[in-house]
């Protein structure tokens, strides 16, 4: 029989209404690397209606022409090959710029005049979190916080429960919850959304998706980079605040939540919140923290952050339990770190062994594993047990049923919209499904705080690990002692 041909991906551009988008922090790193390239791609795709305006705002003085030159240079570096020369020129010509001081009065009246009344307006807060409250207050003071205005708030959203609550309160003074879009760019990733479709769009998996059939679940987000130029921020955050409290927690919620009644913002977010609230406190013995060592010319963590006595972790592995009917007794193992063997993100659902082997003890032990790969090679594979071909009795072997999306859906799938593109357009459409609600963020901090507080109270130092490894040996032991093992971080 012929193999089914790969199906070309249908690219759909859902029209949005005319909008004014103001990016605060328009001269910053995130604007250069992510926001401007995302807007260019949507412009080239034809999703930015004619007449929509993209207004950059930052503290430094620039003329509009200077800002356009800045944006052009940023796109030359971070959006190579996107659109034709004419399209790029037309995009650059939509850009405007205002010098605005978040904490002063400069530029606000001018900015207010630029916005078209009655049009969708969104304000992207791509500035340091300490300025979020001031921006919200000034938007209100200068009459820009209209009932349908939206604000997009970058991470980190607080550094503990108290700061997150204070930030929620500051924003709530001027904006309703339905106007606040807290970004976790993981939620904008294609495969992360696919997680929900795999679970709730197929009959195959959901009946088995519980403690009766699932032995355990592993979530790995491994990076090869070190802390880079973000040493100052990172040393005050660490892997727990930078990755676990937000990105890994969101993946955990999507993999563990009950089916929402609808794919609608509050239905989905209610279910995610229930997962976070059902998390048990974590025993210190179920957590391993690590810090990477130098490798050749590359500095180790402490040199990188210029803090020889740093106790901040660049790696964390932990075992969690969710106390509810679906998951009681099934552990979730989470692992993330910097300077690891390869850049890999995946979720592995490891099913239990069959209750009885009719093939006898010599057939060995086998388990089905459903692996959802977020990167690289986005896709899923399901490990199934089959008979090893050939004579000589029943020898069993595990083989993957592999579906790499770019192979199944055509090469375009590999270049599907970047997370920021999707999320910015969701803001314009007014769809909050892929954004975190205030109570979700607070619940995640309420679970995280005692863990971090415990390390600080005990003065616990992380364990050193080799750069380019899979993390400290102790992280392997965390699973070995339960008779399980981590999946290889693939190179
Ligand atoms: P950044 O490179 O330091 O840029 C900060 C921006 O804020 C600059 O445009 C700066 O303008 C502007 N700014 C500073 N003070 C201001 C003031 N008083 N009034 C108005 N504008 C002011 O920071 P970033 O890396 O782009 O990060 C921006 C936000 O995104 C932060 O919340 C960060 O945590 C978050 N984030 C960043 C990344 C990333 O990869 N960069 C990833 C995830 C989240 P001037 O240059 O004109 O002073």
């Amino acid at each position: 029989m012929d193999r089914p041909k790969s199906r070309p991906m249908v690219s759909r551009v859902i029209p949005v209404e005319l909008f004014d988008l103001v990016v605060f922090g328009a001269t910053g790193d995130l604007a250069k690397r992510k926001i401007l390239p995302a807007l260019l791609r949507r412009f080239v795709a034809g999703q930015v209606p004619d007449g929509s305006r993209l207004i950059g705002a930052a503290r430094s003085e620039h003329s509009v022409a200077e800002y356009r030159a800045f944006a052009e240079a940023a796109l030359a570096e971070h959006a190579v090959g996107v659109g034709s020369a004419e399209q790029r020129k037309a995009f650059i010509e939509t850009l405007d710029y205002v010098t605005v001081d978040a904490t002063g009065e400069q530029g606000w009246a001018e900015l207010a005049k630029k916005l078209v009344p009655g049009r969708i307006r969104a304000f992207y807060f791509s500035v340091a979190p300490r300025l979020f409250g001031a921006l919200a207050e000034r938007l209100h003071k200068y009459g820009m916080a209209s009932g349908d205005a939206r604000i997009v708030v970058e991470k980190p959203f607080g550094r503990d429960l108290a700061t997150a609550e204070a930030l929620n309160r500051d924003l709530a003074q001027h904006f309703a919850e339905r106007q606040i879009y807290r970004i976790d760019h993981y939620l904008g990733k294609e495969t992360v959304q696919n997680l929900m479709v795999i679970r709730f769009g197929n009959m195959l998996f959901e009946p088995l998706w519980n403690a009766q059939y699932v032995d355990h679940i592993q979530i790995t987000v491994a990076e090869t980079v070190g802390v880079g130029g973000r040493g100052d921020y990172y040393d005050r955050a660490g892997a727990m605040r930078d990755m676990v409290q937000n990105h890994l927690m969101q993946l955990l919620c999507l993999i563990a939540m009950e089916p929402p009644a609808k794919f609608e913002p509050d239905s989905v977010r209610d279910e995610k919140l229930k997962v976070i609230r059902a998390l048990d406190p974590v025993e210190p013995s179920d957590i391993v923290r690590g810090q990477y060592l130098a490798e050749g010319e590359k500095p180790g963590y402490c040199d990188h952050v210029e803090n020889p006595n740093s106790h901040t972790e660049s790696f964390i592995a932990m075992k969690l339990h969710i106390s509810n009917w679906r998951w009681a007794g099934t552990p979730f193992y989470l692992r993330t770190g910097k300077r690891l063997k390869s850049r890999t993100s995946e979720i592995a659902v490891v099913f239990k062994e069959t209750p009885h082997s009719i093939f006898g003890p010599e057939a060995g032990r086998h388990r089905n594993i459903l692996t959802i790969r977020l990167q690289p090679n986005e896709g899923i594979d399901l490990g199934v047990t089959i008979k090893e071909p050939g004579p000589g009795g029943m020898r069993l072997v595990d083989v993957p049923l592999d579906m790499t999306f770019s192979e199944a859906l055509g090469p375009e799938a590999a270049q599907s919209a970047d997370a920021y593109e999707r999320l910015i357009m969701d803001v314009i459409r007014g769809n909050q499904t892929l954004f975190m609600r205030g109570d979700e963020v607070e619940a995640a901090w309420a679970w995280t705080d005692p863990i971090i507080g415990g390390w600080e109270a005990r003065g616990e130092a992380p364990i050193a690990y080799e750069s380019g490894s899979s993390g400290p040996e102790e992280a392997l032991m965390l699973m070995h002692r339960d008779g399980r093992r981590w999946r290889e971080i693939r190179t």
Side-chain angles (χ1 to χ4, degrees):
M1 201 171 76
D2 284 346
R3 245 178 100 95
K5 292 207 172 61
S6 76
R7 207 149 61 82
M9 195 180 64
V10 183
S11 166
R12 286 198 199 94
V13 172
I14 302 169
V16 295
E17 286 177 42
L18 268 178
F19 63 88
D20 285 347
L21 171 66
V22 179
V23 178
F24 292 108
T27 55
D29 177 66
L30 189 70
K32 266 199 297 203
R33 288 192 307 108
K34 293 291 179 185
I35 302 174
L36 286 168
L39 290 169
L40 171 66
R41 285 198 200 93
R42 288 297 90 202
F43 182 88
V44 168
Q47 206 176 18
V48 176
D50 277 351
S52 288
R53 283 128 47 84
L54 307 171
I55 305 167
R59 192 176 37 179
S60 44
E61 302 269 353
H62 295 292
S63 65
V64 174
E66 281 165 358
Y67 185 68
R68 287 179 181 175
F70 164 90
E72 206 171 345
L75 294 170
E77 192 179 349
H78 300 291
V80 178
V82 179
S84 64
E86 294 77 51
Q87 285 171 319
R88 291 172 81 101
K89 185 164 175 281
F91 173 75
I92 293 289
E93 281 168 6
T94 64
L95 297 176
D96 200 346
Y97 183 81
V98 194
T99 303
V100 165
D101 182 0
T103 53
E105 307 307 318
Q106 187 195 1
W108 288 97
E110 189 191 341
L111 178 62
K113 269 196 242 144
K114 286 187 184 281
L115 301 180
V116 180
R119 183 182 282 190
I120 291 174
R121 56 177 63 166
F123 301 96
Y124 197 131
F125 292 7
S126 180
V127 295
R130 68 188 152 75
L131 299 175
F132 293 166
L135 287 179
E137 194 189 323
R138 297 277 181 312
L139 285 172
H140 174 76
K141 181 172 168 187
Y142 286 87
M144 287 179 269
S146 51
D148 64 345
R150 291 124 214 219
I151 56 171
V152 184
V153 186
E154 262 299 335
K155 85 166 207 187
F157 199 90
R159 56 174 280 108
D160 54 22
L161 178 59
T163 49
E165 282 175 341
L167 194 45
N168 273 334
R169 271 197 306 274
D170 285 351
L171 299 180
Q173 280 188 35
H174 308 295
F175 292 93
E177 182 60 37
R178 64 175 167 73
Q179 297 177 279
I180 304 172
Y181 291 72
R182 294 174 195 78
I183 278 216
D184 183 326
H185 72 272
Y186 264 58
L187 290 178
K189 286 179 186 276
E190 188 70 23
T191 325
V192 173
Q193 291 170 70
N194 226 334
L195 255 176
M196 283 183 275
V197 181
I198 289 165
R199 284 195 59 193
F200 306 128
N202 294 286
M203 195 54 209
L204 195 58
F205 302 117
E206 201 48 28
L208 306 179
W209 213 261
N210 56 52
Q212 198 182 342
Y213 296 102
V214 176
D215 177 74
H216 72 276
I217 292 179
Q218 303 184 15
I219 303 179
T220 297
V221 177
E223 298 179 285
T224 49
V225 291
V227 295
R230 298 161 67 223
D232 192 36
Y233 153 75
Y234 195 91
D235 202 39
R236 282 178 283 117
M240 188 69 172
R241 288 191 173 98
D242 188 50
M243 294 296 290
V244 177
Q245 185 272 347
N246 38 56
H247 306 318
L248 274 81
M249 186 61 62
Q250 290 295 322
L251 297 180
L252 175 78
C253 286
L254 295 179
I255 206 88
M257 72 184 183
E258 295 301 314
K262 288 190 175 153
F263 187 60
E264 281 180 357
D266 281 334
S267 300
V268 172
R269 298 186 302 176
D270 285 347
E271 296 307 333
K272 288 198 291 168
L273 180 62
K274 286 184 208 162
V275 173
I276 303 174
R277 290 194 172 149
L279 281 172
D280 285 351
V282 187
E283 295 295 326
S285 56
D286 284 342
I287 304 183
V288 176
R289 300 164 72 224
Q291 219 178 50
Y292 61 80
L293 290 167
E295 182 194 22
E297 297 284 283
K298 293 185 189 162
Y301 178 84
C302 288
D303 287 338
H304 232 149
V305 300
E306 295 175 6
N307 178 4
N309 300 316
S310 174
H311 278 189
T312 304
E313 75 287 350
S314 61
F315 173 96
I316 190 161
M318 61 202 310
K319 177 163 83 162
L320 313 183
H321 285 285
I322 300 173
S323 277
N324 63 17
W325 271 58
R326 186 185 283 263
W327 293 119
T330 296
F332 288 72
Y333 298 90
L334 271 48
R335 165 175 69 158
T336 183
K338 294 196 172 289
R339 282 276 190 81
L340 296 179
K341 215 169 169 178
S342 72
R343 183 163 176 256
T344 305
S345 300
E346 66 167 40
I347 300 169
V349 181
V350 181
F351 290 91
K352 291 186 174 172
E353 291 171 23
T354 53
H356 163 71
S357 172
I358 64 168
F359 306 108
E362 59 281 4
R365 300 169 65 179
H366 298 271
R367 285 174 167 167
N368 300 116
I369 302 178
L370 176 70
T371 311
I372 299 147
R373 295 190 303 270
L374 310 181
Q375 68 189 19
N377 304 329
E378 292 195 341
I380 57 175
D381 84 49
L382 178 64
V384 291
T385 305
I386 61 164
K387 176 185 174 300
E388 201 178 308
M394 280 292 194
R395 291 187 309 274
L396 307 193
V397 61
D398 296 331
V399 293
L401 283 178
D402 188 349
M403 183 171 126
T404 298
F405 295 152
S406 59
E407 282 169 17
L409 301 172
E412 254 187 76
Q415 298 152 14
S416 62
D418 167 81
Y420 282 88
E421 289 176 61
R422 174 172 295 112
L423 294 174
I424 292 172
M425 285 300 135
D426 276 358
V427 173
I428 305 300
R429 275 192 285 267
N431 184 347
Q432 288 185 306
T433 310
L434 301 176
F435 296 83
M436 294 180 296
R437 207 167 54 191
D439 52 1
E440 249 185 279
V441 179
E442 288 181 12
W445 280 122
W447 174 82
T448 312
D449 274 5
I451 300 173
I452 296 177
W455 302 335
E456 286 171 357
R458 293 189 297 274
E460 243 176 64
I463 302 162
Y465 63 92
E466 299 290 335
S467 285
S469 70
S470 302
E473 279 291 308
E474 285 77 355
L476 305 181
M477 292 312 297
L478 181 73
M479 289 197 79
H480 281 185
R481 68 175 196 225
D482 294 343
R484 302 183 173 107
R485 61 189 167 89
W486 290 105
R487 287 169 53 77
E488 268 291 293
I489 296 181
R490 284 168 289 116
T491 47

